[in-house]
Amino acid sequence: MVHFVNHVSKALNNKEHAIAIFCDLRKAFDSCDHGILLRKLSGVGIRGDTLAWFKNYLSNRQQFVTISGYNSSLKLIKLGVPQGSILGPILFLLYINDLPLSSLFYDFLFADDTTLYASGPDLHELVTFVNLEFQKICLYFRQNKLALHPGKTQFILFSNSRDARDSDISIFANNNNPGYNDPSLCTPLERIQSSSNIPAVKFLGVYFDTELSFKYHVKTICTRVSRALYMLRTCKNS
């Protein structure tokens, strides 16, 4: 989070605009393809008996559903890393570790929280750049069988210019393959502004607003503390 704030603050100090896209992946840990994961493990030097061990670790896992005491039949698990295990998060990190190589974005990766960042002095050129590079990210997700959730993926513009903050800009989740342009495959992302119902983006537990004032985050914390204090006052004589 400090790293992210430093990048945005540096852009603002240089009188640049900055755009950050906060990606939301559908069932990220459950979507890892075992074949792709094993190829990536081999690519980082895990080979031979060690790779065979990982293949055995991921293979022939089964699951079932229990409802009201009734069990479904066993089904083979073909995707995903075991959650709740020590290896689960590590394997996912290795799975997505090559994401920064797919575009010119500056990437902030923390488990399945993926944030894409770019800055520049010209807002129009920056928006064009972000849309082009974000299409590469969308292509990366599809090639790696990860599903971006456009309805929950948000972006925010940081700028010292009020005109820039008030300007009408759009970022699209573009699911077209290179060389194609089908408008039905372009989904606009939600832009977070000071006029939004929630005027901030929650990033690793902290709300970031367009001016980096953290007023909304402080307000949220105060509300939670006030509610807790009210409960304590209510039951203090019990």
Side-chain angles (χ1 to χ4, degrees):
M1 287 187 293
V2 173
H3 200 37
F4 176 74
V5 172
N6 286 342
H7 273 77
V8 175
S9 300
K10 181 179 179 180
L12 296 179
N13 289 338
N14 292 334
K15 296 182 180 181
E16 293 182 341
H17 313 287
I19 292 177
I21 301 175
F22 301 86
C23 298
D24 185 275
L25 295 174
R26 287 190 176 101
K27 301 289 184 180
F29 280 72
D30 293 328
S31 301
C32 296
D33 181 271
H34 293 169
I36 296 175
L37 175 58
L38 291 171
R39 287 198 297 272
K40 292 190 177 188
L41 290 177
S42 177
V44 297
I46 299 174
R47 303 187 181 100
D49 290 342
T50 309
L51 185 63
W53 185 93
F54 275 105
K55 183 177 181 180
N56 182 271
Y57 176 73
L58 295 169
S59 300
N60 299 319
R61 288 181 174 269
Q62 295 178 311
Q63 65 183 11
F64 65 95
V65 177
T66 298
I67 300 177
S68 301
Y70 294 94
N71 298 337
S72 70
S73 59
L74 288 170
K75 296 292 183 182
L76 194 65
I77 300 175
K78 298 180 180 180
L79 298 172
V81 293
Q83 294 195 45
S85 66
I86 295 174
L87 283 176
I90 297 173
L91 290 174
F92 180 79
L93 290 176
L94 289 169
Y95 191 87
I96 203 173
N97 196 48
D98 56 353
L99 172 66
L101 302 176
S102 65
S103 78
L104 297 177
F105 277 125
Y106 194 94
D107 305 275
F108 298 89
L109 302 179
F110 186 86
D112 59 339
D113 284 305
T114 302
T115 303
L116 312 170
Y117 172 86
S119 62
D122 185 280
L123 181 59
H124 176 72
E125 291 181 0
L126 177 61
V127 171
T128 301
F129 172 83
V130 168
N131 273 302
L132 289 172
E133 294 303 309
F134 191 47
Q135 184 178 4
K136 299 177 185 177
I137 296 293
C138 293
L139 181 61
Y140 169 90
F141 286 143
R142 296 204 305 281
Q143 289 177 334
N144 287 274
K145 299 186 179 180
L146 296 172
L148 182 73
H149 197 311
K152 293 185 178 180
T153 298
Q154 302 169 317
F155 79 95
I156 191 169
L157 169 68
F158 300 96
S159 177
N160 291 321
S161 169
R162 180 177 295 274
D163 290 339
R165 292 198 302 268
D166 293 339
S167 61
D168 185 20
I169 63 173
S170 297
I171 306 297
F172 295 90
N174 190 338
N175 285 320
N176 284 290
N177 287 319
Y180 293 88
N181 188 23
D182 183 351
S184 65
L185 296 177
C186 297
T187 305
L189 303 183
E190 179 186 2
R191 178 185 175 184
I192 300 301
Q193 297 176 273
S194 56
S195 58
S196 302
N197 291 332
I198 300 179
V201 172
K202 192 174 184 180
F203 175 51
L204 300 178
V206 175
Y207 285 97
F208 287 81
D209 55 78
T210 57
E211 299 176 0
L212 284 186
S213 67
F214 297 99
K215 290 181 180 179
Y216 184 82
H217 180 75
V218 173
K219 179 183 176 181
T220 302
I221 296 296
C222 288
T223 300
R224 289 166 57 189
V225 171
S226 177
R227 189 181 299 118
L229 289 175
Y230 171 77
M231 296 300 295
L232 290 174
R233 286 195 301 268
T234 301
C235 65
K236 68 179 180 179
N237 295 321
S238 301

